Amino acid sequence: MRCLILKFLCFLVIIFGILNNSFSQAIELTGAGATFPQPVILAWAYQYYKQTKVKINYQGIGSGGGIRQAQERIVDFGASDKPLTSEELRKYNLVQFPDIIGAVVITYNLPGSKDFLLNLDHKAICDIYLGKIKNWNDPYLKKLNPKVNLPDLPIIVVRRSDASGTSWLFTTYLSKACSEWKEKVGAGTAVNWPVGIGAKGNPGVTNYVKQNIGTIGYVEFIYAKQNNLPMANLLNADGTAFVKPSIKSMQAAASNAKWEIEKNFFVDLTYQPGKNSYPITGASYILIPLDNPKAKEVTKFFKWAFEKGDKIAENLYYIPLPDKLVHLIYKYWEKYKIAP
């Protein structure tokens, strides 16, 4: 009898050990970077956990932080709205692929601004962010918006304080569209801003604009949508029409993009030609260290997102990747032996 009890106790110890070990080995992934895709990554992660019990922790710290943390192996994956060159990827033994397409919009807070949409061209935006246009009733702004009673208010310029892929998209657009901006400031995740109040992340810029009359700022489309902020219509690259930021106008800008495995999907979607192309469209990218033992778990998560997360993305006003691009990404993963 005593022998049977001892055998039973040994059996329980073994079972408890197996269960305890399985719990201790539960998969958990960490990611950090761009605030641009943060809402959709968090939404995907929530549903993925419900289905797989794999936990994904993602922090929106800006694209610069995401690039740095991926380079330094602090996270399992980084996210950046500024794609890295093939040389940069080789230097840090990283791979990259797009995960979502969105846009940067110009938002503002004026008396009665929910009742009208401003028309802005590249010259107006450039001059505002260079500090040359200082007042909302400036003659040039009135010329672009003859039917709007623009107030006699100083323009409070808001921009990002952190290294940001959203800033990269915005300043890349300005550098293409405005020669003076290109010469004096240039493009980058962080630049020497001539004017403006700095705010951290898309949420920081959104909140500052939302709470202060007379402000203008640039944020990712979803942040303006979720906070019911107005978004300016921007003159297209052809100079023929003011284009409203929308899923349709972002798709128009992305339609002619040439995605190539050989270039690690490096594509710039800003200031694309076409009557209906929104000029500050961009893709967000995922960075994975090739020596990360969890690399295949990361690609497994994004494979699930590409195949089951499109509706989630659309509900958050993002554009899911086209099927052709998704299949190219799968081939890219196979090339680097990180396919799930």
Side-chain angles (χ1 to χ4, degrees), residues 43-328:
W44 282 338
Y46 174 73
Q47 292 298 329
Y48 190 66
Y49 177 76
K50 284 172 67 175
Q51 294 183 24
T52 66
K53 300 306 176 187
V54 174
K55 189 174 183 181
I56 291 99
N57 293 310
Y58 182 82
Q59 289 187 314
I61 59 172
S63 294
I67 293 169
R68 180 182 58 80
Q69 291 204 5
Q71 290 172 344
E72 295 178 2
R73 282 28 182 191
I74 295 171
V75 292
D76 296 309
F77 68 93
S80 172
D81 307 328
K82 174 190 179 295
L84 300 187
T85 64
S86 294
E87 290 74 20
E88 290 172 314
L89 292 168
R90 280 195 296 270
K91 180 179 178 180
Y92 292 100
N93 198 25
L94 301 171
V95 289
Q96 76 181 2
F97 56 89
D99 62 320
I100 208 72
I101 294 170
V104 175
V105 301
I106 306 301
T107 187
Y108 47 89
N109 186 340
L110 292 173
S113 58
K114 292 185 179 179
D115 299 325
F116 61 83
L117 293 177
L118 290 180
N119 288 332
L120 295 175
D121 63 7
H122 49 275
K123 182 182 185 322
I125 300 168
C126 182
D127 284 355
I128 288 170
Y129 273 82
L130 284 172
K132 295 169 70 175
I133 291 180
K134 301 176 183 293
N135 231 59
W136 278 108
N137 66 347
D138 184 275
Y140 191 75
L141 297 182
K142 290 171 76 173
K143 181 182 175 182
L144 294 175
N145 300 276
K147 296 181 180 180
V148 178
N149 185 22
L150 290 168
D152 183 10
L153 279 175
I155 297 174
I156 303 169
V157 175
V158 188
R159 43 82 176 175
R160 290 285 287 271
S161 60
D162 51 333
S164 153
T166 306
S167 290
W168 180 81
L169 288 169
F170 180 59
T171 56
T172 296
Y173 153 71
L174 284 181
S175 293
K176 287 181 178 180
C178 176
S179 58
E180 186 177 3
W181 183 273
K182 183 178 181 180
E183 292 167 8
K184 292 183 177 179
V185 184
T189 55
V191 297
N192 187 18
W193 296 98
V195 295
I197 294 169
K200 189 173 182 180
N202 275 292
V205 175
T206 300
N207 289 333
Y208 197 94
V209 172
K210 189 176 182 179
Q211 294 169 13
N212 294 277
I213 297 288
T215 48
I216 188 170
Y218 60 93
V219 296
E220 205 278 326
F221 185 58
I222 183 178
Y223 290 90
K225 288 287 286 186
Q226 287 183 337
N227 288 274
N228 296 313
L229 289 172
M231 295 173 274
N233 302 318
L234 301 188
L235 188 67
N236 62 19
D238 298 346
T240 57
F242 288 96
V243 180
K244 179 181 179 180
S246 67
I247 297 296
K248 187 175 180 180
S249 62
M250 290 181 234
Q251 287 173 327
S255 62
N256 296 320
K258 190 175 181 182
W259 304 97
E260 298 179 69
I261 288 176
E262 294 73 23
K263 293 184 178 179
N264 295 282
F265 303 107
F266 189 108
V267 168
D268 177 6
L269 300 177
T270 62
Y271 216 48
Q272 290 291 313
K275 180 182 177 181
N276 299 315
S277 295
Y278 183 73
I280 325 182
T281 300
S284 193
Y285 289 79
I286 299 302
L287 302 167
I288 304 178
L290 277 172
D291 53 2
N292 178 8
K294 295 182 182 177
K296 289 186 178 181
E297 290 296 336
V298 175
T299 57
K300 188 175 181 181
F301 165 60
F302 283 101
K303 186 174 189 291
W304 176 93
F306 293 150
E307 295 176 0
K308 298 184 179 180
D310 280 3
K311 191 65 178 175
I312 295 170
E314 289 167 354
N315 288 341
L316 292 172
Y317 307 104
Y318 292 94
I319 301 173
L321 302 185
D323 290 342
K324 186 177 179 180
L325 175 54
V326 170
H327 291 306
L328 273 181

